[in-house]
Amino acid sequence: MTLRVGVLGARGRMGLEVCKAVDAAPDLELVAMIDQGDVLFSASDNHAEVLVDFTTPDVVMDNLRWAIERGISAVVGTTGFTDDRLAQVRAWLAEKPEVGVLIAPNFGIAAVLMMQFAAKAARYFESAEIIEQHHPRKLDAPSGTATRTAQLIAAAREEAGLAPMPDATKEEVDGARGASINGVRVHAVRAAGLLAHQEVIFGTDGELLTIRHDSLDRVSFMPGVLLAVRNVQKHPGLTIGIDSLLD
Ligand SMILES: NC(=O)C1=CN([C@@H]2O[C@H](COP(=O)(O)OP(=O)(O)OC[C@H]3O[C@@H](n4cnc5c(N)ncnc54)[C@H](O)[C@@H]3O)[C@@H](O)[C@H]2O)C=CC1
Ligand SMILES: O=C(O)C1=N[C@H](C(=O)O)C[C@H](O)C1
């Protein structure tokens, strides 16, 4: 028996890669490819059991509501999930307790490890800043990965009872010190030639630690996407990240 998978955003950079990965997996069947309302491909007898969404932050909530209402589980890589949006997804899922939704800011295994290492290191350093670097066609900043990393670092610092980071700088130009996410500075670089990269810089007296991750090809996200597709129905409710599937 194969698991029937539909892809939303199928013409996009990630969507195309997901379609190829699903198509190549013997236990999965690609039954629908949809992009901006165009059904590019549909095996009409077989509706999708799991939808994968790599679209844009402005449409992903409508897609999710549509899927949940129909009892279809979803794997979501699209960014832009605020706390309010996550609360809304939980509210929809409360009406459909059998449905699973997995939202991950990054499906790359090395990226997940980078976030875990950053969370572990955070308590030992006075200072922490994030530099994310992406291709210039990326629509949002800061990246979902940087936002999640900053949240994890801030939570670890709070749990350890650390004081606010030392910083005497007055911004002479707005934005010079980047964005602040829960007190962690995040700097977003956009340049041709980049794909998806992040450095987390930790500092304390006489010592620096830099944790760096590079996605050099979108195939890097596919093992994590397929892992989520294969498991999302076994995890009803909302799951954030693929960490729990890797343990
Ligand atoms: N979680 C992760 O590991 C990763 C997440 N991303 C995120 O995935 C999202 C997509 O990234 P890319 O593929 O680079 O963008 P893209 O712009 O290449 O693709 C988005 C696609 O969605 C389509 N689309 C727009 N509205 C739609 C709708 N209502 N229904 C169906 N399709 C619709 C667009 O036509 C486009 O083809 C972004 O939010 C990005 O940050 C990207 C890479 C990895
Ligand atoms: O848009 C991208 O390309 C990426 N988006 C995700 C993010 O915002 O973190 C994941 C990865 O960085 C690639």
Side-chain angles (χ1 to χ4, degrees), residues 37-233:
D38 293 343
V39 179
L40 310 178
F41 164 76
S42 168
S44 53
D45 296 341
N46 296 319
H47 73 81
E49 296 165 284
V50 174
L51 280 174
V52 181
D53 188 301
F54 280 95
T55 58
T56 57
D58 57 327
V59 301
V60 64
M61 290 299 280
D62 286 345
N63 291 344
L64 260 179
R65 185 176 49 197
W66 186 93
I68 294 168
E69 277 174 4
R70 282 155 187 79
I72 304 172
S73 292
V75 169
V76 181
T78 309
T79 43
F81 280 89
T82 57
D83 288 346
D84 284 351
R85 284 183 165 211
L86 294 174
Q88 177 63 77
V89 175
R90 284 193 185 92
W92 290 333
L93 284 168
E95 304 293 315
K96 291 276 183 181
E98 74 284 5
V99 176
V101 170
L102 187 148
I103 301 172
N106 201 310
F107 284 96
I109 308 291
V112 172
L113 290 172
M114 174 264 294
M115 286 187 265
Q116 291 181 358
F117 296 158
K120 187 170 168 56
R123 61 177 301 165
Y124 301 106
F125 294 89
E126 280 173 80
S127 302
E129 302 219 0
I130 298 171
I131 305 172
E132 58 98 322
Q133 306 182 337
H134 281 83
H135 58 91
R137 287 165 144 189
K138 183 164 177 57
L139 296 181
D140 53 328
S143 70
T145 308
T147 302
R148 178 80 180 141
T149 312
Q151 290 166 344
L152 292 170
I153 290 171
R157 289 178 64 91
E158 191 181 339
E159 198 184 322
L162 295 193
M165 295 183 210
D167 182 2
T169 301
K170 175 181 172 292
E171 274 186 333
E172 301 294 348
V173 175
D174 280 354
R177 290 284 292 115
S180 172
I181 297 180
N182 299 354
V184 180
R185 292 282 167 181
V186 179
H187 312 267
V189 177
R190 297 290 176 265
L194 293 171
L195 200 152
H197 318 259
Q198 180 165 299
E199 280 187 8
V200 188
I201 301 170
F202 291 104
T204 189
D205 289 340
E207 249 191 333
L208 288 170
L209 171 68
T210 303
I211 304 174
R212 181 176 174 101
H213 171 257
D214 296 277
S215 274
L216 303 171
D217 190 306
R218 289 183 178 84
V219 293
S220 62
F221 303 111
M222 294 308 121
V225 171
L226 295 189
L227 180 70
V229 166
R230 290 179 176 121
N231 286 285
V232 66
Q233 289 178 308

Side-chain angles (χ1 to χ4, degrees), residues 1-23:
M1 273 274 282
T2 53
L3 181 64
R4 298 190 299 275
V5 181
V7 177
L8 298 167
R11 267 201 202 108
R13 290 176 286 271
M14 283 297 290
L16 279 170
E17 208 60 59
V18 173
C19 290
K20 279 195 269 175
V22 170
D23 214 23

